[in-house]
Amino acid sequence: MPDTAYPTARPDKQHYFLLIALAARTRADCLGRRVGAVITREGRVLSTGYNGTPFGMPNCSEGGCLRCSRRDDDRLRGGAYDVCICVHAEQNAILTAARFGQQILGGALTSTTQPCFGCLKEMLQAGIVEVHYLHAWDPAEAYGDPALIAQYASLRARFEIFAQVGDPALDTRELFGGFVSPH
């Protein structure tokens, strides 16, 4: 007999991977934007990641990240990622795959947020061919420099697929029992 407490609709693979990325995000400890990511190949999960401080370092909520602890500093707002101690979710997924010997060449990465400039470079270097994300952002707002915007566009054009998936409006505080606030 079917369990009526759960919907009978079965998500397609891409939405299933998005749900896994959203679940990974519940482990993020960033005081700003929490992000989760999953790497897949041939329809199978290879690795997950979330943003946070490196192993053995205090978490953001424990004062481990100066960027998080200085959230009111306008010099750090929207930038200064090169001096942030945290590892991005996409980077963590790539590094975790490497740590455990998972071949990600030809794989896909699904993230809860559109990847940044640095993560796109690393995904290309690692051989990721598809990028899917839930929350989009505008590179023009983030970078403000036409040359950087053009470089971001040239990076994203190198992927076979670079597309938004899912409905960001469904990403609510109640998702996953309210473990964390969304994005």
Side-chain angles (χ1 to χ4, degrees), residues 81-105:
Y81 294 113
D82 59 326
V83 295
C84 179
I85 193 134
C86 289
V87 181
H88 288 192
E90 300 89 345
Q91 295 168 322
N92 259 331
I94 291 168
L95 294 167
T96 298
R99 178 179 281 218
F100 293 105
Q102 291 294 321
Q103 172 65 263
I104 63 172
L105 183 66

Side-chain angles (χ1 to χ4, degrees), residues 111-156:
S111 179
T112 59
T113 301
Q114 181 177 330
C116 73
F117 197 97
C119 287
L120 285 186
K121 293 185 303 184
E122 293 161 11
M123 286 186 272
L124 281 171
Q125 253 342 69
I128 296 294
V129 297
E130 294 182 17
V131 177
H132 306 271
Y133 55 89
L134 176 60
H135 294 281
W137 53 269
D138 183 0
E141 278 185 36
Y143 303 125
D145 177 339
L148 288 175
I149 296 164
Q151 278 196 320
Y152 185 88
S154 71
L155 283 173
R156 72 181 274 176

